[in-house]
Structures are given as structure tokens and as C-alpha cells.
């Protein structure tokens, strides 16, 4: 197998070499506990302080507004629980049908605990209807939780407009910004966002570290109870290595934002080349979209078969197909967008990073036409008019 | 990432017998296809058969598959398994045979092998003029509306593959893999099948005990019950060696078995038959019994 061509950066990213260099001393030399009352621990405490400053700077926030967590899931769970604790009398929650499992599954659990949840729909581009949001808001709404950008399609939601509506009703606004931090410029100083989640491994920091932005003055109740770490807002000895890595990664991301157009140009080149293959289409909002993501549906063939074929050439991508997961249902995001089954099952996500080269993009464009042709030659479906395809699709849809 | 065997990967990257079989109106030859699945469900198979009319023998087979790696490999495997055998023999091919040919499939992907078995049946039923709609799988009450799976189909897969959990049923026929609201019903079906098996086993055992006490000859059903218990004892050893055995038929004192996997091609299979199986059957059932392997 040739060298790996990694185009699955929305799943995780490589740790930046500068980040590796920054964290090494904290694996070897500076291993003190930052809570200890001696200089050895104090040195580590300073490193955490610096990381907090680096993360705050990337978000346009204050240091005191950053809580380090272990991952995006912890950040989202903490934020949602904290929001409920802040307004215990309100029992209505709003989210979208395309959220990450760590939000959707938590809301399902909250429904069992007596909360009412409104799941906002999305259109064919994966975009929200703000009128639907406004119609759902009531004086009983405690929290609105939405993504900033979708992990599968890259569609970016108008978060400040959403936040403005939320504020009218005195509710809390939480944003899962895991896919956005490091890809779009952020400034939370005058934002309508109360709580915002990020995850380190999506921006070239190690896995196992994340952060939660908590707007100053927000009535916060911690999820993890224990020691006084993170000013009592997240107990547990700090993951110093992860935090230092996240800090450095945030600093690098801020520098890279100036050059994000390079990623976008490569993404556009890849997309244009793939769209030249017959019966393909882009899934998502092409106008409001992350610069690094493209999700393309290859009609009449199945995603896992495409992925494994790409894997033979050392190319890593991702699919919304059911066969790539333990679940038997295809991506809930693509289904919520109402994509036809012909496109849905054969959708592939390519997500780039600042390390993606033009040669990598060229290689994908070189091999993909033959992969699609080979699989289509095996498929019993080959056009939308195929009688069998039509009959079966309607039969199954009718039984749902 | 799924862990696939080399055979699965080989047949995915280099599938055999892909495409349709053209019907050239040859004398004495019929071409037919059977199809299962749908693009909505995420996998579909159209299996083509070329049949010698006089002998019912499958001369050629090919496939068109919409699906994942294991669906393509299972389809290709199936076309190899059916070539050269008669339609009746083909109807005996189970999804386990397809999975075994591939050296195994991840359990979550077993439904791909079930799809192969169903397409084969659909093709043969179509050739024989049996309405597919009247097939027992489609007759039963619908249990899983997400994937359109009937009670009969669940019962069949539970019995044939000795499934004991809802998760296994989901892996084999997808039922319960959508909204999962039918999970409890599937659990009930599994429990009912297990109970029926226990009742049957108890009844056969009781009948055998009575017959032995009265010193009268065993009925065929009683013989089959005892033969099956002998085969169940032997199977783990054979499976460990990459083979297997299955009861094919009992005619008088002749027990016909099918040797599978490594046993089918093993030079010492006669010894296995005589020493491991026939001796025990002679002891337990009747000293007159003879065991023969069928192709």
C-alpha cells in the first residue's frame, strides 16, 4: 500500500508536530500535579494557564470563560446539564434532528425524565428554518442546543441569528462547535452564545482533551463533582499533556485561519473533479459550508464498497452508509435532509486539513472514476427509471 | 473497520461471475433471475441462473449486487456454490454455507449471506412458477416494519442458525435494526422457538425411552432424533478442523449425511464416517445402520 492519503479530518486529525514538541516535556520532565503546593507543580499550573489563554484567544473569549474537559461529548453533556440546572422550572428543550449522538441521545434520555424536546427539521441542504425555531420557542423553553456546523455535510448554521431568537425568550443557547473551531474565525465577545463546546483532536491536538466555553456570569453547575480544579467547575486532576497540546493547537489554528482559503481551494478542486463523474451530487449547503468538507453522493452504489476500494489505494474517507457502522440505518443526517436512497447509501465525506496536499487530491481524482465504474458495473440499479428500483423504493417507503 | 477474511476481500476486489446472463434462446436451456432487497434497505441482489431443463442442473450463475463488501463477496460466493448442482440441491444451500465458503462473516454482516439464500430461492421459485408472494417468508405477520421482516422469516433464521438474541436476529435479517420498537416481539419469537425445540426434544426422548422399555423397533422420527443427537456430539470436533456434517436423509437403515467444508475434501472422510459417526449410530440407534455421504 502506498503512503496514506488522509481525507477524514472531520473524524480526527493528526497531531501537529509543533504540538508533539510542546507536550513532550510534560510527559517526561514536568510531571508535577498542578494542584500541588510546590514549585514543581506550580510550573505545570503555569502551562495550563498559558493553554487557557491560547484557547480563549482563538475563541475571542476570556480565560475565565474556558473550562477544560476530556472531549466533545463531555463538553456537550456538561453544557446541557448545566443549562437545565440554571433554569430548573423550564421543561422544554429545542435541538435539531442532525446533531451528534452525544446530544441526541442525551435529549432522548431527558425526555424520559419529563422534559419535552422539539427536534427542528432541516431542508435538503441540511439548513434550519428560523421560522420553525421561532414557532417552537415558548416561555417554558430552557435551552436551545444546535451545532455550529454539521460534521457530515459541513453545513454551517446561522448561530448568531439563532442565538438572537433564543435570547428573546430568555433561554440558554448552547452550541456544539466541535467541527468549527480552527476552521472559521470566532469571536464570542459580543456573541449570543452562552455555552460552546470544542474538542482537541479535531484541530490537531491529541485525543482526550476538549474545552467548554461558559459565558461570564452564566449560572453554571458542574457535571463532575470533586476537587477544586477548573475553579470547581470540572473536578479531576487535569490532563496536563492534553491541555498543553490543546493550547498549542489553538495557537497554531489561529495562525492557520489566515490561510484557510488554501484548504477551500483544494476542497473545491476535489469536488469539481468528482462531480465530473456521472450521477453524482453534493450533499449540503454549498453557500454556508465549512471550507474543508465535501459530501458527495455517488448514485446506485454503496458507501462501504467505495470506502474499501479507496482504502486499497491508501485513501481514507468516511461514509454515511449503514454498512460502515454497527447500525443498520444510514446516516441520520442525510436521512433528515430527505436525500433519495439512490444517493443516500453511496455518500462519501472527504474532509481536508492544512496538511492535505494537492497531490493527495489529484490521486483521489485519478482513482475514483474507475472505482465508481467498477461498482456500478456490479449494481443492479443504474438509472432512476429502473423499474425494480422504483417499485422497491416505494414499497419500503410505504411501509414506514 | 470490519474484519473480513482474505476470501471475502478477494471476492470483493476480484468478484467472479458478475453481471447478467443473456438469454440466447438455446434449446433445452432456461435463463431466470431472482431478486431480493431494495435500494431503500441498502442492499439488493439479482441472481441469474442458467438451467438445463431436462436435468434441472444449474449450468451457469451470475450476480448483480447493490451493497457492501460482504454483500458483493456473498453474491460471488453463491454463484460459485450453485454452479453444476441441481435445483433441489441448490435449495439445500443455507446462508451458513455461503458464510462458510467465505471463511466467515462478521456477525453484523450475516444478513448479506441470508440475502444470497433468499435470492437463490426466489430464482428457483420463479423458474418453477411458484408465486414468490406465496413464499412462507412473505406470508407471516409483519414484525419489523422498518425493514419489512415477517414473523416467519425471523422464525426460520432463528431455527436454521440457532440464534438466541435479538442482536443476532438483527445481524441476520436486519429486523429490529431500525427504530428497534419490535425488539420485545423478536425476543418472544426466539423464546417460542426455543421452547418448541425443547418440547420436541423431550417428546422424542420420551418416545425413545418407551420404545426401548417395550423392546420394540424405533420409528423413523425416533431414529432421526437419536441420529441428530449423535451428529451434534461429533460436530464440534469436525468444526474445529474446518469441516462440518449435516443430516441429509434417512432411508430405512441408511443414514445419508452431507460432509461440509474441510470434511468434504478430506481424504480421510471415510474414516470419519465409519469411526466417528457410524460406530456411534450403530450403538445408539441400531446395529444395522449404515452411514453414507452424499455429494
Amino acid at each position: 500500500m502506498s503512503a496514506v492519503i488522509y481525507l477524514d479530518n472531520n473524524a480526527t486529525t493528526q497531531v501537529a508536530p509543533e504540538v508533539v514538541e510542546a507536550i513532550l516535556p510534560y510527559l517526561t520532565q514536568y510531571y508535577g500535579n498542578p494542584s500541588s503546593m510546590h514549585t514543581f507543580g506550580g510550573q505545570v499550573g503555569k502551562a495550563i494557564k498559558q493553554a487557557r489563554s491560547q484557547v480563549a484567544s482563538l475563541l475571542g473569549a476570556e480565560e475565565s470563560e474556558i473550562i477544560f474537559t476530556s472531549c466533545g461529548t463531555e463538553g456537550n453533556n456538561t453544557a446541557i446539564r448545566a443549562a437545565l440546572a440554571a433554569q430548573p422550572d423550564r421543561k422544554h428543550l429545542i435541538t435539531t434532528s442532525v446533531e451528534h449522538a452525544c446530544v441526541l441521545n442525551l435529549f432522548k434520555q431527558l425526555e424520559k425524565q419529563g422534559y419535552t424536546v422539539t427536534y427542528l427539521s432541516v431542508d435538503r441542504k441540511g439548513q434550519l428554518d428560523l421560522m420553525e425555531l421561532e414557532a417552537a420557542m415558548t416561555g417554558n423553553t430552557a435551552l436551545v442546543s444546535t451545532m455550529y456546523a454539521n460534521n457530515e455535510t459541513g453545513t454551517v448554521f446561522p448561530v448568531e441569528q439563532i442565538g438572537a431568537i433564543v435570547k428573546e425568550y430568555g433561554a440558554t443557547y448552547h452550541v456544539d462547535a466541535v467541527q468549527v473551531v480552527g476552521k472559521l474565525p470566532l469571536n464570542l465577545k459580543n456573541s449570543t452564545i452562552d455555552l460552546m463546546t470544542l474538542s482537541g483532536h479535531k484541530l490537531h491536538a491529541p485525543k482526550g482533551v476538549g474545552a467548554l466555553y461558559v459565558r461570564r456570569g452564566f449560572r453554571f453547575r458542574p457535571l463532575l463533582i470533586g476537587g477544586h480544579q477548573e475553579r470547581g467547575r470540572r473536578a479531576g486532576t487535569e490532563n496536563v499533556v492534553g491541555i498543553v497540546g490543546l493550547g498549542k493547537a489553538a495557537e497554531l489554528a489561529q495562525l492557520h485561519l489566515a490561510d484557510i482559503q488554501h484548504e477551500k481551494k483544494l476542497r473545491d478542486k476535489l469536488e469539481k473533479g468528482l462531480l465530473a463523474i456521472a450521477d453524482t451530487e453534493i450533499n449540503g449547503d454549498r453557500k454556508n459550508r465549512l471550507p474543508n468538507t465535501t459530501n458527495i453522493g455517488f448514485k446506485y452504489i454503496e458507501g462501504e464498497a467505495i470506502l474499501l476500494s479507496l482504502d486499497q489505494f491508501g485513501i481514507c474517507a468516511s461514509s454515511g452508509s449503514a454498512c460502515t457502522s454497527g447500525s443498520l440505518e444510514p446516516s441520520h443526517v442525510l436521512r433528515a435532509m430527505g436525500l433519495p436512497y439512490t444517493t443516500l447509501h453511496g455518500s462519501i465525506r472527504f474532509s481536508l486539513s492544512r496538511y492535505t496536499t494537492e497531490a493527495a487530491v489529484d490521486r483521489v481524482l485519478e482513482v475514483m472514476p474507475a472505482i465508481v465504474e467498477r461498482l456500478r458495473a456490479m449494481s443492479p440499479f443504474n438509472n432512476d427509471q429502473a423499474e425494480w428500483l422504483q417499485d422497491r423504493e416505494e414499497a419500503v417507503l410505504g411501509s414506514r | 473497520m470490519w474484519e473480513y477474511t482474505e476470501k471475502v476481500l478477494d471476492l470483493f476486489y476480484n468478484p467472479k461471475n458478475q453481471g447478467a446472463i443473456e438469454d440466447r434462446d438455446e434449446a433445452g436451456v432456461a435463463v431466470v433471475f431472482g431478486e431480493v432487497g431494495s435500494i431503500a434497505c441498502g442492499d439488493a441482489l439479482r441472481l441469474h441462473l442458467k438451467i438445463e431443463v431436462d436435468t434441472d442442473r444449474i449450468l451457469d450463475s451470475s450476480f448483480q449486487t447493490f451493497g457492501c463488501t460482504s454483500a458483493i463477496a456473498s453474491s460471488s460466493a453463491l454463484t460459485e456454490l450453485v454452479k453444476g448442482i441441481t435445483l433441489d440441491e441448490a435449495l439445500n444451500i443455507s446462508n451458513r454455507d455461503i458464510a462458510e465458503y467465505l471463511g466467515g462473516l462478521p456477525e453484523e454482516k450475516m444478513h448479506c449471506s441470508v440475502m444470497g439464500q433468499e435470492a437463490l430461492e426466489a430464482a428457483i421459485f420463479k423458474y418453477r412458477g411458484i408465486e414468490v408472494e406465496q413464499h412462507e417468508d412473505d406470508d407471516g405477520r409483519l414484525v419489523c416494519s422498518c425493514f419489512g421482516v415477517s414473523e416467519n422469516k425471523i422464525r426460520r433464521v432463528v431455527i436454521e442458525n440457532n440464534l438466541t438474541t435479538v442482536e443476532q436476529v438483527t445481524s441476520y435479517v436486519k429486523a429490529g435494526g431500525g427504530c428497534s420498537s419490535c425488539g420485545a416481539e423478536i425476543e418472544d419469537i426466539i423464546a417460542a422457538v426455543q421452547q418448541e425445540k425443547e418440547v420436541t426434544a423431550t417428546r422424542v426422548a420420551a418416545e425413545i425411552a418407551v420404545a426401548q422399555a417395550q423392546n420394540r423397533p424405533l420409528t423413523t422420527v425416533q431414529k432421526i432424533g437419536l441420529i441428530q443427537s449423535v451428529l451434534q456430539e461429533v460436530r464440534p470436533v469436525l468444526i474445529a478442523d474446518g469441516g462440518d456434517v449435516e443430516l441429509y436423509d434417512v432411508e430405512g437403515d441408511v443414514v445419508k449425511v452431507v460432509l461440509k467444508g474441510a470434511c468434504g475434501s478430506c481424504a480421510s472422510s471415510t474414516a470419519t464416517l465409519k469411526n466417528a459417526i457410524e460406530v456411534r449410530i450403530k450403538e445408539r440407534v441400531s446395529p444395522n445402520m449404515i452411514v453414507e455421504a452424499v455429494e
Side-chain angles (χ1 to χ4, degrees), chain B residues 125 132-140 150 152-153 156:
Chain B
F125 283 21
V132 175
E133 284 71 23
Q134 290 172 12
H135 184 258
E136 59 167 354
D137 281 359
D138 298 320
D139 275 351
S150 68
N152 283 342
K153 187 165 173 176
R156 174 179 166 169

Side-chain angles (χ1 to χ4, degrees), chain A residues 142-165:
Chain A
L143 167 75
V144 175
S145 176
T146 75
M147 293 176 142
Y148 203 132
N150 186 265
N151 49 322
E152 295 193 32
T153 60
T155 294
V156 175
F157 287 158
V159 290
E160 291 303 339
Q161 289 179 53
I162 294 169
I165 295 170

